[in-house]
């Protein structure tokens, strides 16, 4: 019942958000298309529910680069690869809006642990094998770890942030999801991004 209720909330929430934010997404797509090289939407492999690989969508916020090199480099808040437009859309989390379509597809939830790339997961589980517990739930656009800890720029910081995602995993509920959404809105409006 809880899974069905969460999926219903995800479908309704993502649909409403896409309608509400469609002008912002259209404007962002146009600005990115006319100011940056490469595709407007950036697809990145992530690992989700039951260890399944899927493509997570974002508005392009970084310069074009070799895919293999990009996989092995950490992205940080002040990464020099971030474009001028990318700085704005990251600070306001607009770059994350295409993930609403991941929610509609069923790859992601609105709230859940943030999905990582396999490259980093392989490094994390060497120190924290319990990370695999997170693959029992759909990953989210926002998470308890993101709003309480923020960006993690190396494996040790990812493991520190992991404690919040495990706490979420152990206490999942629609009330907790609502709490995380409230924190997320506050975080976005203070310009910290998610």
């Amino acid at each position: 019942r809880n899974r069905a209720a969460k999926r219903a909330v995800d479908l309704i929430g993502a649909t409403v958000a896409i309608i509400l934010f469609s002008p912002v997404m259209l404007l962002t797509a146009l600005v990115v298309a006319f100011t940056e090289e490469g595709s407007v939407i950036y697809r990145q492999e992530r690992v989700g529910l039951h260890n399944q690989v899927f493509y997570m969508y974002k508005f392009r916020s970084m310069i074009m680069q070799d895919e293999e090199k990009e996989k092995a480099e950490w992205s940080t808040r002040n990464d020099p690869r971030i474009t001028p437009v990318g700085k704005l859309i990251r600070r306001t989390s607009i770059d994350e809006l295409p993930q609403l379509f991941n929610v509609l597809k069923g790859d992601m939830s609105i709230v859940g642990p943030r999905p990582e790339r396999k490259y980093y997961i392989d490094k994390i589980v060497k120190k924290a094998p319990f990370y695999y517990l997170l693959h029992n739930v759909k990953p989210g656009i926002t998470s308890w770890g993101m709003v309480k800890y923020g960006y993690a720029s190396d494996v040790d910081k990812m493991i520190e942030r992991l404690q919040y995602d495990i706490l979420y995993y152990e206490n999942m509920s629609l009330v907790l999801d609502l709490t995380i959404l409230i924190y997320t809105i506050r975080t976005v409006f203070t310009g910290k991004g998610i």
Side-chain angles (χ1 to χ4, degrees):
R1 281 200 304 262
N2 288 338
R3 279 198 300 267
K6 185 172 172 64
R7 181 63 182 149
V9 169
D10 281 340
L11 287 171
I12 294 167
T15 301
V16 169
I18 287 168
I19 292 167
L20 287 176
F21 291 111
S22 58
V24 174
M25 289 193 282
L26 179 59
L27 180 61
T28 302
L30 290 171
V31 171
V32 172
F34 285 107
T35 60
E36 308 299 338
E37 289 184 21
S39 61
V40 170
I41 300 294
Y42 177 68
R43 298 184 331 146
Q44 190 175 69
E45 277 191 6
R46 297 290 174 112
V47 180
L49 180 65
H50 304 315
N51 210 32
Q52 294 296 309
V53 174
F54 70 97
Y55 283 101
M56 187 177 80
Y57 307 131
K58 286 187 170 193
F59 282 117
R60 178 172 295 284
S61 62
M62 300 177 82
I63 59 171
M64 287 282 291
Q65 55 193 317
D66 177 77
E67 190 174 341
E68 289 306 310
K69 184 181 177 186
E70 186 270 335
K71 280 182 182 179
E73 288 190 37
W74 299 100
S75 176
T76 59
R77 188 172 292 279
N78 297 311
D79 198 308
R81 296 171 294 167
I82 300 172
T83 65
V85 171
K87 287 179 184 176
L88 174 63
I89 63 175
R90 279 181 169 226
R91 190 167 59 246
T92 55
S93 297
I94 290 171
D95 64 319
E96 309 282 355
L97 289 176
Q99 289 163 48
L100 292 166
F101 293 98
N102 284 116
V103 174
L104 290 184
K105 284 177 62 182
D107 294 327
M108 295 177 71
S109 183
I110 292 174
V111 177
R114 283 295 286 170
E116 292 296 343
R117 288 179 275 180
K118 188 178 185 307
Y119 177 87
Y120 297 126
I121 292 170
D122 291 343
K123 292 180 178 296
I124 294 168
V125 296
K126 287 178 182 175
K127 294 185 176 183
F130 53 90
Y131 176 88
Y132 281 128
L133 287 173
L134 300 184
H135 292 159
N136 292 325
V137 296
K138 282 185 184 178
I141 297 175
T142 186
S143 72
W144 198 228
M146 288 304 293
V147 296
K148 296 299 282 183
Y149 187 89
Y151 282 97
S153 55
D154 59 44
V155 170
D156 290 330
K157 288 177 181 173
M158 283 181 159
I159 292 170
E160 285 176 23
R161 187 178 69 192
L162 179 58
Q163 65 182 317
Y164 294 103
D165 289 325
I166 292 295
L167 188 63
Y168 172 80
Y169 173 74
E170 292 174 341
N171 297 280
M172 282 178 61
S173 70
L174 292 177
V175 172
L176 181 55
D177 282 7
L178 180 60
T179 303
I180 293 168
L181 281 173
I182 291 168
Y183 271 93
T184 300
I185 292 165
R186 190 175 73 177
T187 301
V188 169
F189 278 109
T190 57
K192 295 178 182 176
I194 56 170

